[in-house]
Every structure is written in C-alpha cells, then in structure tokens.
Amino acid sequence: MKVRTTNLEGVLLFEPVVHGDERGFFLETYHQGKYAEAGLDATFVQDNHSRSGASILRGLHAQRCHPQGKLVRAVEGAIFDVAVDIRRGSPTFAHWYGTVLSDKNFRQLYVPPGFAHGFCVIGESAQVEYKCTDLYRPDDEISIRWDDPEIAIDWPIREPRLSQKDDAGAQTLAELAERLPIYPNAAATPT
C-alpha cells in the first residue's frame, strides 16, 4: 500500500494494492495493523454508505464536540473528496485538500478529527463508503458552506445539487468561529 501525505497535517491518501486478473480484482479495504504502520492509528466505530446522483454535493460537515475521523472511498463511480482544516489557531486553518476517489483508482482519503469533510459526484452517480472514529450525533453537527469564500474550494462542478442542510442550513467559517474545534487538540471540547 502506498501512503501519501498532503498539504494538511494528518490528512492522508492511501492507495491499496489491487490484485487483478481476468476474473476481476481483490484488495484489502482496511487492515488495522497495516494502516497503523502506515501512520493511521485510529479506532473506527461506525461505517456509512451513501449513494448520490449527478451533481450532488454533500458537505462540508463536521462534529463540534465529538469530531469524527473518516476513511473515505468510492465503491462505485467517482467523487471529488475534500478535507478542510477548521481548527482555530491551526497554521493551515481554512486550507483544503481535494482529490478524486473512484471505483477505478481505489484510493482512500483519511480526514482526521477537527477537519470538515465534503464531496461532489463526478459523473452520473457514486456510492461512497466511509469508516468513522466516533458515532454520528446529529445535534453535534455543523454544516459549513460549500462555497465559503474564505476556504475557496475549486470544486469541479459549478451548480451543485444540495440538501436543505447544505444550502440554507450551512454557515461560513466566520459565522461558526466560536463553535469550531481548537488546534492542536481538536478532540477537546470547544468552549
């Protein structure tokens, strides 16, 4: 397995070894020992699976008091997957990293606690699976605007289809300032 660091501390891109022949392919999508050796020593407690149609954009999401680390992969189709550093005081606050995850490249992106996560579908549809380091708590979630000018993500789609939560329910980093996690201990409960 190849592991690539990114411009954001703790955000890792994994390229698993794929064994393929005329019958198809096989790969390990997660092996705790191998991922720990590669720098991802996390305990996952929840797996999620979503399906989204063309031009759907989900995110940017994070949890305030119970931040989740997420190991994300596209099992069908392709997505542009994004991690955003939202830790107040971080030297990379409001910086983002994006990459294409697809059923062709088998890549996985690890988005650590203290970062917001979002993705958009490239093509007709995509199915995404991700492992989480904490349980989902709807009352703890914050939604950050996908088009926040402070972050300025270069999304590959210009007119995304959004849920109510990701459109009218989302706020900018400036509006959420006092509710964001604090660097360097993003797992601590914000004041």
Side-chain angles (χ1 to χ4, degrees), residues 62-81:
Q63 288 192 170
R64 182 175 180 256
C65 299
H66 302 276
Q68 295 176 303
K70 297 176 180 177
L71 181 62
V72 185
R73 68 190 189 106
V75 295
E76 178 182 272
I79 62 170
F80 182 68
D81 203 41

Side-chain angles (χ1 to χ4, degrees), residues 136-184:
Y136 174 64
R137 293 173 171 90
D139 58 330
D140 192 37
E141 187 173 43
I142 55 175
S143 293
I144 301 162
R145 290 211 43 94
W146 68 279
D147 59 352
D148 184 336
E150 184 175 0
I151 304 169
I153 297 169
D154 187 15
W155 295 101
I157 59 175
R158 298 295 167 231
E159 295 182 25
R161 294 170 41 207
L162 304 165
S163 69
Q164 176 68 20
K165 174 176 76 172
D166 294 337
D167 190 13
Q171 297 177 289
T172 64
L173 286 179
E175 293 167 328
L176 290 165
E178 294 304 314
R179 299 181 61 210
L180 298 174
I182 300 170
Y183 176 84

Side-chain angles (χ1 to χ4, degrees), residues 23-103:
R23 300 169 299 156
F25 66 85
F26 171 84
L27 72 144
E28 286 183 340
T29 61
Y30 182 71
H31 182 292
Q32 184 179 16
K34 291 178 183 177
Y35 279 69
E37 286 176 19
L40 177 56
D41 193 12
T43 300
F44 294 105
V45 298
Q46 179 177 325
D47 285 2
N48 298 327
H49 185 144
S50 69
R51 182 182 187 285
S52 303
S55 300
I56 296 291
L57 190 149
R58 295 182 184 262
L60 302 161
H61 302 146
Q63 288 192 170
R64 182 175 180 256
C65 299
H66 302 276
Q68 295 176 303
K70 297 176 180 177
L71 181 62
V72 185
R73 68 190 189 106
V75 295
E76 178 182 272
I79 62 170
F80 182 68
D81 203 41
V82 176
V84 180
D85 188 349
I86 61 168
R87 301 168 300 165
R88 289 183 286 165
S90 168
T92 55
F93 178 77
H95 292 200
W96 62 276
Y97 174 80
T99 191
V100 173
L101 305 180
S102 76
D103 61 0

Side-chain angles (χ1 to χ4, degrees), residues 103-141:
D103 61 0
K104 305 281 188 280
N105 68 22
F106 300 99
R107 291 178 175 170
Q108 300 171 318
L109 185 67
Y110 180 66
V111 180
F115 287 71
H117 173 251
F119 66 86
C120 68
V121 175
I122 304 168
E124 292 303 309
S125 67
Q127 291 193 50
V128 176
E129 291 185 342
Y130 55 100
K131 304 178 95 43
C132 300
T133 61
D134 205 336
L135 300 175
Y136 174 64
R137 293 173 171 90
D139 58 330
D140 192 37
E141 187 173 43

